[in-house]
Amino acid sequence: MLKIENLKAEIDGKAILKGLNIEVKAGEVHAIMGPNGAGKSTLANVIAGKEEYEVTEGSIELNDEDISELAPEERAHNGVFLSFQYPVEIPGVSVTNFIKTAINETRKAKGLEDMPAKDMLKMIREKSELLEIDRKFLGRSLNEGFSGGEKKRNEIFQMAMLEPKLAILDETDSGLDIDALRIVANGVNKLKSKDNAVIVITHYQRLLDYIVPDFVHVLHDGKIVKTGDASLALELEAKGYDWIKELA
Amino acid sequence: MSKYTEEQLEEELKTQEYKYGFYTDIESDTFPIGLNEDVVRAISKKKNEPEWMTEWRLEAFRVWEQMEEPEWANVHYEKPKFQDIAYYSAPKKKPKLNSLDEVDPELLDTFKRLGISVDEQKKLANVAVDIVMDSVSVATTFKKTLGEKGIIFMPISEAIQEHPELVKKYLGTIVPTTDNFYAALNSAVFSDGSFCYIPKGVKCPMELSTYFRINEGGTGQFERTLVVADKGSYVSYLEGCTAPMRDENQLHAAVVELIALDDAEIKYSTVQNWYPGNKEGKGGVYNFVTKRGLCENNAKISWTQVETGSAVTWKYPSCILKGNNSVGEFYSIAVTNNHQQADTGTKMIHLGKNTRSTIISKGISAGQSQNSYRGLVQINSRAENARNFSQCDSLLMGNACGAHTFPYIEAKNKSAQIEHEATTSKIGEDQLFYCNQRGIDTEKAIALIVNGFSKEVLNKLPMEFAVEAQKLLEISLEGSVG
């Protein structure tokens, strides 16, 4: 699904990713952990194609196609989804209108007609139930005045609607209380299939109690310094990150 | 790959071309340039006007001659040379038409290119169209349906002939000939426009719609509109404008007067897309318009405008809330791009008791444009319990444009309640990236954000107009994202 080789990226001339390798296969869940400033969010943004970051070396392949030169919307059309750590507000644009536009623009890019309103409605109903989202919520302006939990739930709702091949959840657990965390994790688990993959970026073990990863990678100073199974996350929780820094 | 930075956003906004830049080659009958009493008389004669009308025009001309062009607005432009303008132009082929099939095919083609073909309009079952092309109406539809209700909807030149008593009674009562420089000029030389009368208690069954369009190069356009809603009646009036590309600046000085008698309601919606000039700021229409309405007891007037065109806009649709319990509303979206300048807003004059007014203004500035809101809320001493709510929001794109707000409040009655809110925001790269990440390209993302910003006003437009307005917003701001 995703194959990243020797990825080096910088922002404003400052190197953040310094030769990163990772391979994620369909059906897998990978967790990326690491201390603040390790480059976790940079990795998410670079995969999604944020322009401020410059890829100086290496490659990003999605299903054997190099996507590192594609515009962010083209990567999205190819099935990359990023759940933002800080989702932005768009006043006056309802959650429904936004997701409708996103779906139809993606369909247009693939040469398809707009999704019939009836199908869209059915899908919205299903997915909002899955994430325990109230109908009234769908009419509100995107992220405007949303609580932290509502914002994250809305991100996963969009993921459910867009059905991406590769979903990257950037600190989706931050700002969530335990109930919201359970709903969000439950949603992600239900969306998992043998055909898609999930990368969970997190600081803490907490989310991984609910979304159990097949692999856990530790990112430090722009490189993956250790890879293990779910037990590695527990070890990090117990021992902190200092011993990892010494590994590097 | 569309690498997107703030600078590129600006760049893209600069590189859009006027979509409606073409010139219809219809034979025209144009007066020589210049303005004096003889020209005013000639215009009046050309239209077979009665003596009182000729005198009314001459009086306005004499006042205008003594007046000076106003300079207080936050706009800078080369003043029109009023003696270099031709004050009358009418299409020469002016056959009486029984059906739209008889309309000059080239004219129909013009409307098709504007995306507002008459054919299309006819299909919108509830819209009657009175098309004004270069000053003279060439097609009027749905007259019969309206006639059955006693509704009069016709070019004002015909109304002067057929309903002189109504025109004489109301013309110039809301915007007097002496009101301001451009209103005086319009009164002297207005070529045509629309007249509408809704009889007592009648709810007009369809939206009344007029399309204005400047066509002949170097021709000034002076439209005159008069809408009278008699007691207890209701009418929704739509006015839409586009103009073809021209190198020299064209002057457009229209006057619109609305009269809502007791318990009547008038909704007046405008979409204005005159040629804004090229990206260097050359050419474009000067849009100096006076629009004002009068509300008697329990009457209501709503102005809704979407202003995307013109090089310079100077326009303040206003309400005089004379009657008790009368209501005035102003909903506006003004978009400026490149070198466009807009100074627009409203005046709400509260005279009666329990009068209420609402002002929602959305300014969107891009390129090197300047966008000003200027509004006056005046509560007079006898206006007990008057209320006003004003909201002025500005959205900026790039770093070279400007947004300005000039709210004036005069309250002479202690019971008045006045609220004013204002915000300024900018389309951020984070917003664009968020949209991009969801598969929405930057052009579409800007349209989405702008439409969201303008939603409260777009919602006030009649359905079919809202769609057109939304399209216009996109066209006005679209770039060439690679």
Side-chain angles (χ1 to χ4, degrees):
Chain A
M1 169 84 54
L2 178 74
K3 196 170 170 192
I4 293 177
E5 284 182 335
N6 190 34
L7 182 64
K8 294 185 183 177
E10 57 182 49
I11 184 165
D12 300 331
K14 188 177 174 240
I16 309 279
L17 300 180
K18 301 171 180 175
L20 183 142
N21 297 287
I22 191 172
E23 184 166 5
V24 178
K25 293 198 171 72
E28 291 178 350
V29 175
H30 288 237
I32 294 178
M33 302 182 75
N36 286 332
K40 298 192 296 293
S41 285
T42 298
L43 176 62
N45 282 316
V46 168
I47 297 172
K50 192 164 191 183
E51 310 290 359
E52 290 158 52
Y53 296 94
E54 196 187 336
V55 173
T56 52
E57 229 182 293
S59 64
I60 306 169
E61 283 181 14
L62 185 74
N63 293 327
D64 302 320
E65 194 200 337
D66 191 347
I67 59 165
S68 58
E69 290 298 314
L70 295 182
E73 64 271 22
E74 292 169 321
R75 299 185 199 203
H77 300 155
N78 284 334
V80 175
F81 179 89
L82 172 60
S83 169
F84 284 72
Q85 185 177 359
Y86 303 109
V88 303
E89 295 179 2
I90 307 185
V93 177
S94 68
V95 172
T96 306
N97 186 13
F98 184 75
I99 198 64
K100 183 184 93 182
T101 308
I103 287 175
N104 285 334
E105 287 296 298
T106 300
R107 289 174 68 95
K108 197 165 86 187
K110 290 175 180 161
L112 298 170
E113 296 283 309
D114 282 0
M115 185 185 277
K118 202 181 69 187
D119 298 355
M120 182 91 68
L121 196 66
K122 185 164 166 272
M123 195 174 182
I124 287 174
R125 242 181 237 141
E126 278 171 22
K127 307 296 184 182
S128 56
E129 260 168 46
L130 178 71
L131 289 151
E132 299 176 35
I133 284 173
D134 192 68
R135 290 296 286 281
K136 261 186 273 169
F137 178 85
L138 300 170
R140 287 170 63 187
S141 284
L142 191 73
N143 291 317
E144 203 180 29
F146 285 17
S147 70
E150 285 173 331
K151 282 183 184 170
K152 297 301 170 75
R153 217 186 292 182
N154 180 35
E155 292 291 290
I156 304 305
F157 169 68
Q158 291 181 36
M159 170 182 158
M161 292 294 292
L162 289 163
E163 300 177 325
K165 291 197 189 101
L166 174 70
I168 306 163
L169 313 185
D170 188 6
E171 305 264 359
T172 295
D173 49 338
S174 68
L176 290 191
D177 63 27
I178 199 74
D179 289 332
L181 186 70
R182 185 185 49 76
I183 293 165
V184 163
N186 190 28
V188 173
N189 286 331
K190 283 195 183 147
L191 296 170
K192 250 172 35 180
S193 79
K194 64 179 189 352
D195 302 317
N196 61 28
V198 180
I199 296 176
V200 180
I201 292 174
T202 181
H203 209 67
Y204 302 104
Q205 146 72 19
R206 201 170 69 142
L207 180 64
L208 304 180
D209 286 341
Y210 297 93
I211 305 172
V212 181
D214 300 301
F215 297 93
V216 173
H217 309 274
V218 183
L219 187 61
H220 173 62
D221 194 24
K223 281 181 190 163
I224 286 173
V225 293
K226 194 167 173 57
T227 296
D229 60 15
S231 67
L232 178 57
L234 293 167
E235 196 180 348
L236 288 165
E237 186 80 354
K239 291 161 72 177
Y241 285 111
D242 286 349
W243 65 284
I244 290 291
K245 290 175 187 168
E246 281 154 30
L247 283 180
Chain B
M1 172 164 181
S2 68
K3 207 173 159 70
Y4 217 79
T5 63
E6 190 75 12
E7 285 71 28
Q8 282 161 317
L9 166 63
E10 275 177 58
E11 198 49 47
E12 276 161 8
L13 287 165
K14 280 177 210 152
T15 55
Q16 56 127 5
E17 300 296 335
Y18 187 64
K19 199 179 152 195
Y20 303 135
F22 53 86
Y23 170 70
T24 305
D25 193 15
I26 293 177
E27 261 187 274
S28 289
D29 171 9
T30 303
F31 273 23
I33 59 167
L35 185 57
N36 52 46
E37 289 205 9
D38 289 342
V39 169
V40 174
R41 276 200 187 87
I43 291 169
S44 191
K45 190 169 175 229
K46 190 102 199 161
K47 303 182 128 342
N48 278 321
E49 287 177 354
E51 184 61 25
W52 63 268
M53 197 64 235
T54 312
E55 279 310 312
W56 194 83
R57 286 177 181 274
L58 284 170
E59 205 183 288
F61 173 75
R62 286 167 201 142
V63 171
W64 176 76
E65 268 193 314
Q66 306 302 317
M67 290 175 117
E68 296 215 351
E69 216 179 333
E71 286 181 343
W72 44 263
N74 185 27
V75 291
H76 306 277
Y77 59 95
E78 198 184 321
K79 291 196 175 142
K81 293 184 182 68
F82 293 95
Q83 294 304 341
D84 289 352
I85 294 170
Y87 287 85
Y88 183 83
S89 161
K92 250 184 186 166
K93 293 178 192 166
K94 215 179 97 188
K96 295 236 164 166
L97 303 173
N98 298 318
S99 84
L100 291 173
D101 305 336
E102 295 170 28
V103 175
D104 189 331
E106 202 171 341
L107 181 58
L108 285 181
D109 187 51
T110 302
F111 285 108
K112 278 191 189 117
R113 277 191 280 174
L114 287 166
I116 51 160
S117 79
V118 179
D119 291 332
E120 206 177 54
Q121 287 300 328
K122 275 174 81 183
K123 283 175 200 150
L124 296 169
N126 272 348
V127 180
V129 185
D130 174 29
I131 302 157
V132 178
M133 171 98 165
D134 256 43
S135 322
V136 171
S137 296
V138 292
T140 301
T141 50
F142 296 93
K143 225 170 174 171
K144 200 167 153 257
T145 322
L146 297 174
E148 282 161 8
K149 293 250 175 194
I151 294 167
I152 303 166
F153 179 45
M154 55 172 55
I156 199 159
S157 56
E158 280 176 33
I160 289 167
Q161 309 293 335
E162 292 178 28
H163 304 278
E165 72 298 339
L166 279 173
V167 176
K168 205 172 172 180
K169 185 172 174 189
Y170 293 109
L171 188 72
T173 56
I174 311 303
V175 179
T177 51
T178 53
D179 190 79
N180 67 70
F181 184 83
Y182 301 111
L185 179 62
N186 174 286
S187 303
V189 303
F190 75 86
S191 38
D192 213 336
S194 295
F195 175 76
C196 171
Y197 173 80
I198 316 291
K200 269 179 207 163
V202 170
K203 305 262 177 268
C204 184
M206 57 183 72
E207 314 272 358
L208 299 183
S209 172
T210 309
Y211 287 98
F212 292 108
R213 186 173 161 76
I214 298 176
N215 197 52
E216 190 76 356
T219 307
Q221 179 98 349
F222 304 94
E223 294 293 337
R224 188 93 197 183
T225 303
L226 178 59
V227 179
V228 182
D230 212 326
K231 289 178 183 174
S233 69
Y234 167 84
V235 64
S236 171
Y237 192 95
L238 317 180
E239 168 200 58
C241 321
T242 53
M245 190 177 286
R246 280 279 146 241
D247 262 342
E248 69 268 50
N249 289 301
Q250 290 175 303
L251 177 63
H252 181 245
V255 172
V256 176
E257 295 175 283
L258 308 184
I259 294 147
L261 298 178
D262 289 357
D263 305 301
E265 180 176 350
I266 301 174
K267 278 184 72 152
Y268 195 100
S269 311
T270 305
V271 170
Q272 184 264 116
N273 187 32
W274 303 109
Y275 177 50
N278 70 10
K279 60 188 173 189
E280 276 83 43
K282 191 172 178 326
V285 169
Y286 290 171
N287 191 24
F288 303 134
V289 178
T290 307
K291 292 185 168 179
R292 197 175 300 152
L294 176 81
C295 289
E296 296 286 0
N297 289 326
N298 311 310
K300 179 176 174 182
I301 287 178
S302 280
W303 296 101
T304 304
Q305 59 172 22
V306 177
E307 302 278 319
T308 63
S310 297
V312 182
T313 297
W314 181 98
K315 183 180 172 187
Y316 315 92
S318 303
C319 297
I320 300 168
L321 303 173
K322 181 182 163 214
N324 294 337
N325 313 309
S326 60
V327 177
E329 294 177 337
F330 174 74
Y331 301 100
S332 168
I333 301 168
V335 180
T336 54
N337 197 355
N338 298 317
H339 290 267
Q340 279 177 278
Q341 305 174 71
D343 193 303
T344 183
T346 184
K347 282 191 271 187
M348 292 292 173
I349 312 294
H350 292 251
L351 301 173
K353 293 190 177 85
N354 305 313
T355 46
R356 282 177 291 139
S357 63
T358 304
I359 299 170
I360 308 284
S361 162
K362 305 276 180 178
I364 300 157
S365 335
Q368 282 121 289
S369 67
Q370 297 295 326
N371 201 324
S372 302
Y373 166 80
R374 187 183 302 275
L376 169 66
V377 176
Q378 193 184 68
I379 315 283
N380 283 277
S381 55
R382 280 185 290 177
E384 292 290 331
N385 297 316
R387 303 263 185 289
N388 163 266
F389 174 76
S390 302
Q391 187 186 326
C392 303
D393 297 325
S394 306
L395 186 68
L396 297 164
M397 299 188 199
N399 298 319
C401 55
H404 316 269
T405 305
F406 303 100
Y408 301 87
I409 296 170
E410 291 170 17
K412 289 174 190 152
N413 185 307
K414 281 184 182 158
S415 65
Q417 281 189 26
I418 300 167
E419 289 175 73
H420 181 93
E421 287 177 13
T423 66
T424 303
S425 54
K426 209 170 160 181
I427 292 188
E429 274 177 63
D430 284 348
Q431 277 178 320
L432 294 175
F433 178 60
Y434 188 87
C435 293
N436 292 160
Q437 208 300 306
R438 297 298 187 254
I440 302 166
D441 67 29
T442 299
E443 202 166 290
K444 187 80 191 170
I446 290 173
L448 191 70
I449 294 166
V450 166
N451 279 321
F453 174 78
S454 315
K455 198 178 161 193
E456 285 163 281
V457 176
L458 289 172
N459 283 348
K460 296 290 170 190
L461 290 170
M463 192 55 190
E464 63 273 24
F465 228 31
V467 174
E468 194 183 315
Q470 221 158 348
K471 243 192 283 174
L472 250 187
L473 289 184
E474 289 179 31
I475 291 165
S476 305
L477 294 165
E478 83 188 359
S480 48
V481 180

